[in-house]
Every structure is written in structure tokens, then in C-alpha cells.
Amino acid sequence: MEFNIKSGDLTKQKTPCLILGVFEKRKLSEPAAIIDEASGGHLSEVLRKGDLDGETGRTLMLYDVPGIGSERVLLVGCGKRKELDRRSYRKALAATATLLDNGRTTAALCTLPDLVPEGMNPYRTVRDAVTTYVEKVYRYDRTKGEKKPPKFPLTRVDFWVSSKQGTKAAEQAIRHGAAIAGGVALARDLGNLPGNLCTPSYLADTAVALGSDHSKLQVKILEEADMDKLGMGALLSVSRGSRQPAKLILMEYRGGKEGAKPIVLVGKGLTFDAGGISIKPAADMDEMKFDMCGAASVFGTMKAALELELPINLVGVVPASENLPDGDANKPGDIVISMSGQTIEILNTDAEGRLILCDALTYCERYDPAVVIDMATLTGACVVALGKHPSGLFTQNEKLAGEILAAGEGAGDRSWRMPLWDDYQEELDSNFADMANIGSRWGGAITAACFLSRYTKKYPWAHLDIAGIAWLSGKEKGATGRPVPLLTELLLGRSGQLE
Ligand code: BES
Ligand code: MN
Ligand code: ZN
């Protein structure tokens, strides 16, 4: 989709469809009032008939509005003027996107960013508009025999801003928004692809393809034999139960100064998690194809960083494996030796994410990282604790916690901090190894993070449990592409591009 900024006389703008906001109760937004006046009160007259009240997300298409340059006018409800916030703003945008994508028009001029909801600025409103439009017209059809693309897809949206001063911020917002949206789309594609196609090798090929497109990105794939040499006994133990070979995917982007410490993003890449010998119940097990969404967020964020050519050094690390029951799979009680030398008693083979992550996190030490952030669909317990809106943030680094929380707020892709106190650590005690791979019934997201913390002592580190946010279930089933927006926001901040 293509985006542009327009300013100047709204009544003269030529477009197939002009999008205007209407507040409850039938109150015209400022741009709508301009059009109302030019049309001799046409909009007021229509609203008086009562077909649109202004309720958020309700729409009304008008034709032949007199006295203006646009062919159609799409009125969209934005709720109460005083209550316009980011949530209702996004809802109104989404309603227009869906309607236009399924309709006859392929281009539109949208005035909604000019309404600047509570707590937002022109940069934020335009960026949200770009990401929302792309998100709403996203379609997954890779594995559909019959592909049914819309006859007249929405391919171009212009945004009208009332003041010329706002245009510079708005142009920047389009650039950033389009890059984030592209990264989100890649993460969604990878997440939605089924486990029989999206294997560890497929993820490795995806990384290699990304690397061949960009001269500043170097991609290395470690094979099982390489991992064996490094002593990655925890990671390899998970993959032993699978016929697909595990891969450790390394993507090294050098956009920053020579020698500047890299930001390292690590993503859990379980391309299918059946639980192993501690097998999961059958219901909804298909959703465990999404167990590589942490990895997908690393790919998506890397793609966004490449497109924006961010002046940073960034490394993506993706341990990729399947977790299946097999004669050679991990058994409860088995003890493995991690790359760090610490031994692990595997009391539940379904707690496999931490086993592949711990070796990947030890490997990260060789990058002498400025910071390591890992993303993982790690625990059902995190979804029980926080529901499906924020990711769970775990770190003992106060400054980093603040930075990540702020990036989530900024991007509208929030996380919520969870405790990582030493009080929980003793739950991992084992009579036979240095630690067990599970704690008690309680606080499962926290004991999982405690496990990872034992492998991340040599650098600043944070963990995002994304089990609740990486995909939607039910009728809307599909990957969300989160937390690519949060991560890209963080990288933009570190590159000094948000001042
Ligand atoms: N990938 C799952 C976590 C998960 C389950 C995310 C369901 C979203 C929905 C992870 O590998 C897992 O199985 N975790 C176990 C840990 C337990 C055995 C300590 C879990 O959450 O039940
Ligand atoms: Mn599992
Ligand atoms: Zn898993």
C-alpha cells in the first residue's frame, strides 16, 4: 500500500473517497465541518436523518456531495469528542480500511489523523494510521487452493493534515509506519504458515534470503553438528525427538559504528510444540504452530531495521526446533548439560522453550552485547496472569524495564512488568542436577523467566513472554506480528530517530 501526505484546501482535493470523522451525537469533526460548509450543509442534513450517530466504528458512505472535489464521502463514527483516544481512533480507522478494501474504491484521502486523539501527536496518529491500514488489509492465502483477492483492493491512502508544519513529522511517520507494517506482515506470514512447511530449515532459508537482499546483513546457520561442538546439550535434546534438524540462525546487521556493541534479539523458534513425551492435550494443539512467533518477531524487526537502514548494530538469534514425542525424545527425569556447563533435569518435556533458549542465550555472550532481549511464547501461565493484551516483561534491570515499557506504550504494543525476584529461584532446585526445568504449579511464567535468568548474567537482559499476544484464536485465528512494533520502536529510540 502507498501512503502520502496532503495539506491545503480540503474542498478541492480530488479523490475517489474522502474519509471524515463524526462524533457523538452527530457532531462534525473539524475537517467534516469544512466539507459541510462547502456543500451547503449537506452533511448536517444527512446526519439529521439519523443514519449515523457517531458511535465508534460505524460508517456511512455518501455519493454526489455537492461543492467538493471528491467522488465519495465516507463518514465514520469516532465516539464522543472528549473520549477520543488511541483505542477508539484505531477502531475508526480499522472500520474504514475493511469497508474500502471490500468496496469499489482503491484509493482514499483520510482526515482522521488530523483529529489527534488524547495523548497522541501528528507523528503518532499518522504512524498508527499506516500500520492499522496495512494490518486490516492483510490476507493470508499462501496455503489456500482458491485465492480470493478483493476485486478492488485498497492500494493507496493519503492523509490530510490541516497545518503545513505537521507534514515533516507526518512524512517521517509514513516511513517508520510502513517499515513496521512490513515487519509485522512478515512475522504474521511466518506465524501463520503450518508446521509442515515452516520447519527450522524453512526459517533458516528465510534468513538466508533476507541476507542475500541486504549487503549489511550477514547470515550464518549453525547445524546440529556445529551446536554439538559448542556443547549445546539442552537445545539438541529437544530436537532429538524430531526428524527435522534443528538450526541456530544468526543474523548480523552492521548499520552502526564499527565496534559499537550490538543489540541482540533472541526469538524462540519452536516450529511445532506437541509437548514431547509430556504430550499436550489434543484440543487446540494446532495452535502450537505459533510457538515460533518469538522467532517471527526477530525476523520482522530485522526486516524493519534493514528497510529503515537504522544506524545500529543488531543481531538476531533464532534457535529453531520441533518438540515431538519419539523413541529418541527427552524423557522426564533425563538430565542434559547446557552450553554454560549447568546441568538440567527435564521434569517436563513440554517446558522445552527454555531449553533451546538457554543455549542460545549463552551463545549471545560472544557478541559482547549492549543488551539482549528474548521473545518467547514461553508459558500458558503468562496468559493466565495477564490475559491477551500485554506481553509479560521480566528483567532485573530498572533502566531497561523503563525503556521497554515506554517503547510498548509508544508503539501501542504494550508489555506489563512481572516480578523476577530471587524468592522464586529455589523452585527450580533439583536433587539430581543443577536445576530442574520447571517450578511448582504457581507463578509458572516467573519460574520460566528465573530459569532463563541463570543464563544471562553476563549482559543486560530482558525477557518478553509473548504467549498471550502473538496470535489470536477462534474466528480471528492468526498471528498478530506482535511485538514487532514494540521492538522497532525501541530500535528507533536507540538510533535517535524519535526526537
Ligand atoms: N509453547 C508452550 C507455551 C504455551 C502454551 C503458549 C499454550 C501458549 C499457549 C510452552 O512450550 C509450554 O508448553 N509451556 C508449559 C510449561 C509447563 C510445562 C511448565 C505450559 O505453559 O504449560
Ligand atoms: Mn511446550
Ligand atoms: Zn513451547
Side-chain angles (χ1 to χ4, degrees):
M1 208 178 320
E2 194 194 321
F3 300 98
N4 286 289
I5 299 298
K6 297 272 148 113
S7 59
D9 190 345
L10 191 58
T11 65
K12 299 224 166 68
Q13 304 283 339
K14 292 222 183 312
T15 170
C17 184
L18 178 61
I19 302 170
L20 300 170
V22 174
F23 296 111
E24 284 175 44
K25 307 259 177 194
R26 303 182 209 165
K27 289 204 180 72
L28 296 171
S29 64
E30 297 79 351
I34 296 174
I35 295 301
D36 190 45
E37 204 188 320
S39 66
H42 186 84
L43 300 191
S44 307
E45 205 175 300
V46 169
L47 288 176
R48 228 172 285 127
K49 297 203 170 102
D51 291 19
L52 187 81
D53 188 46
E55 202 186 315
T56 311
R58 297 289 283 267
T59 54
L60 183 65
M61 185 73 93
L62 307 179
Y63 302 88
D64 305 318
V65 177
I68 61 168
S70 61
E71 293 167 32
R72 300 172 186 73
V73 168
L74 177 59
L75 299 180
V76 55
C78 296
K80 297 205 171 72
R81 180 53 166 136
K82 278 206 193 105
E83 290 171 10
L84 181 67
D85 60 6
R86 189 172 206 167
R87 218 160 73 89
S88 47
Y89 172 65
R90 283 179 167 185
K91 198 171 163 189
L93 284 166
T96 68
T98 308
L99 186 121
L100 291 175
D101 200 40
N102 294 309
R104 178 70 183 73
T105 48
T106 58
L109 177 61
C110 179
T111 63
L112 298 184
D114 201 56
L115 307 183
V116 192
E118 179 66 30
M120 297 184 81
N121 56 36
Y123 170 79
R124 292 283 167 207
T125 48
V126 171
R127 205 178 97 178
D128 263 24
V130 169
T131 51
T132 305
Y133 273 108
V134 179
E135 179 194 329
K136 283 294 147 187
V137 306
Y138 172 87
R139 244 176 215 83
Y140 172 84
D141 58 13
R142 274 279 294 277
T143 41
K144 297 240 190 189
E146 189 194 352
K147 310 196 195 277
K148 290 184 244 165
K151 281 212 180 73
F152 304 101
L154 184 62
T155 53
R156 180 190 170 121
V157 179
D158 295 339
F159 300 111
W160 182 80
V161 293
S162 55
S163 77
K164 259 245 154 5
Q165 290 102 312
T167 49
K168 212 172 146 237
E171 303 281 1
Q172 167 110 316
I174 287 180
R175 225 168 60 78
H176 293 174
I180 292 169
V184 166
L186 173 60
R188 292 175 82 179
D189 280 343
L190 290 172
N192 289 334
L193 214 55
N196 60 328
L197 300 180
C198 183
T199 58
S201 302
Y202 182 90
L203 288 179
D205 293 346
T206 303
V208 170
L210 208 55
S212 63
D213 285 350
H214 296 274
S215 60
K216 285 184 184 161
L217 182 67
Q218 201 191 349
V219 174
K220 297 179 198 149
I221 311 292
L222 300 195
E223 305 294 336
E224 288 189 344
D226 305 315
M227 293 187 255
D228 195 43
K229 278 195 204 109
L230 289 163
M232 295 186 164
L235 196 165
L236 288 172
S237 78
V238 175
S239 150
R240 266 210 336 269
S242 158
R243 297 188 188 183
Q244 295 289 337
K247 306 277 171 176
L248 184 63
I249 302 165
L250 308 167
M251 295 174 273
E252 304 168 5
Y253 166 66
R254 290 194 182 78
K257 291 202 184 76
E258 175 97 32
K261 290 187 178 194
I263 299 162
V264 180
L265 301 179
V266 181
K268 173 178 172 183
L270 245 296
T271 58
F272 190 78
D273 177 15
I277 297 300
S278 316
I279 197 163
K280 288 181 181 294
D284 298 327
M285 205 207 268
D286 65 292
E287 296 193 4
M288 283 299 113
K289 72 172 183 177
F290 295 120
D291 212 17
M292 37 57 70
C293 283
S297 75
V298 175
F299 281 98
T301 306
M302 186 59 80
K303 182 175 152 91
L306 289 167
E307 183 172 330
L308 293 168
E309 298 182 317
L310 294 181
I312 49 170
N313 294 329
L314 176 67
V315 179
V317 175
V318 171
S321 171
E322 292 184 320
N323 185 27
L324 295 172
D326 178 84
D328 200 30
N330 276 327
K331 302 174 293 298
D334 282 3
I335 293 176
V336 297
I337 309 174
S338 66
M339 183 182 173
S340 70
Q342 300 176 95
T343 60
I344 305 163
E345 185 185 15
I346 300 173
L347 290 176
N348 189 318
T349 66
D350 198 9
E352 84 299 338
R354 61 200 79 180
L355 296 174
I356 67 166
L357 284 167
C358 70
D359 282 341
L361 288 166
T362 301
Y363 188 85
C364 288
E365 288 171 9
R366 69 183 52 203
Y367 289 111
D368 187 19
V371 59
V372 176
I373 306 174
D374 79 77
M375 285 65 64
T377 48
L378 202 61
T379 65
C382 190
V383 196
V384 173
L386 293 174
K388 300 200 47 112
H389 300 290
S391 45
L393 166 63
F394 299 83
T395 179
Q396 278 164 342
N397 186 318
E398 295 300 319
K399 215 172 139 224
L400 184 56
E403 185 184 2
I404 292 173
L405 289 169
E409 289 290 344
D413 177 12
R414 291 188 286 194
S415 66
W416 190 257
R417 190 160 179 199
M418 300 275 282
L420 190 57
W421 303 321
D422 285 338
D423 308 54
Y424 296 90
Q425 289 283 357
E426 63 191 48
E427 291 205 27
L428 296 173
D429 287 352
S430 159
N431 287 348
F432 306 106
D434 296 335
M435 71 194 77
N437 76 329
I438 55 168
S440 71
R441 250 161 76 72
W442 315 115
I446 305 169
T447 46
C450 283
F451 182 95
L452 298 179
S453 74
R454 298 178 178 211
Y455 298 84
T456 55
K457 301 230 177 285
K458 302 216 169 119
Y459 44 70
W461 163 75
H463 158 61
L464 287 169
D465 193 328
I466 62 169
I469 62 150
W471 74 91
L472 301 173
S473 306
K475 239 181 101 58
E476 306 263 86
K477 192 189 283 180
T480 61
R482 293 177 66 188
V484 170
L486 178 157
L487 296 170
T488 312
E489 175 86 14
L490 186 121
L491 298 183
L492 283 168
R494 289 222 171 189
S495 328
Q497 309 232 339
L498 288 177
E499 274 94 60

CSV table of all heavy atoms in Angstrom, one decimal, residues 273 280 323 350-352, ligand 2:
chain,number,residue,atom,x,y,z
A,273,ASP,N,5.2,-27.5,18.7
A,273,ASP,CA,5.3,-27.9,20.0
A,273,ASP,C,4.2,-28.9,20.4
A,273,ASP,O,3.1,-28.4,20.8
A,273,ASP,CB,5.4,-26.7,21.0
A,273,ASP,CG,5.6,-27.2,22.4
A,273,ASP,OD1,5.9,-28.4,22.7
A,273,ASP,OD2,5.4,-26.3,23.3
A,280,LYS,N,0.9,-32.8,25.0
A,280,LYS,CA,-0.2,-31.9,25.2
A,280,LYS,C,-1.5,-32.5,24.9
A,280,LYS,O,-1.6,-33.4,24.1
A,280,LYS,CB,0.0,-30.6,24.3
A,280,LYS,CG,1.1,-29.7,24.7
A,280,LYS,CD,1.1,-28.5,23.8
A,280,LYS,CE,2.3,-27.6,24.1
A,280,LYS,NZ,2.1,-26.9,25.4
A,323,ASN,N,9.3,-29.9,18.8
A,323,ASN,CA,9.2,-30.7,20.0
A,323,ASN,C,8.1,-31.8,19.9
A,323,ASN,O,7.0,-31.5,19.9
A,323,ASN,CB,8.9,-29.8,21.2
A,323,ASN,CG,8.9,-30.5,22.5
A,323,ASN,OD1,9.6,-31.4,22.7
A,323,ASN,ND2,8.1,-30.0,23.5
A,350,ASP,N,7.6,-30.7,28.0
A,350,ASP,CA,6.8,-29.6,27.4
A,350,ASP,C,7.4,-28.2,27.8
A,350,ASP,O,7.0,-27.2,27.2
A,350,ASP,CB,5.3,-29.7,27.8
A,350,ASP,CG,4.4,-28.9,26.9
A,350,ASP,OD1,4.9,-28.5,25.8
A,350,ASP,OD2,3.2,-28.8,27.2
A,351,ALA,N,8.3,-28.2,28.8
A,351,ALA,CA,8.9,-26.9,29.1
A,351,ALA,C,10.2,-26.9,28.3
A,351,ALA,O,11.3,-26.9,28.8
A,351,ALA,CB,9.2,-26.8,30.6
A,352,GLU,N,10.1,-26.9,26.9
A,352,GLU,CA,11.2,-27.0,26.0
A,352,GLU,C,11.7,-25.7,25.5
A,352,GLU,O,12.9,-25.6,25.2
A,352,GLU,CB,10.8,-27.9,24.8
A,352,GLU,CG,10.0,-27.1,23.7
A,352,GLU,CD,8.7,-26.4,24.1
A,352,GLU,OE1,8.1,-26.9,25.1
A,352,GLU,OE2,8.3,-25.4,23.5
B,2,MN,MN,5.9,-26.7,25.4
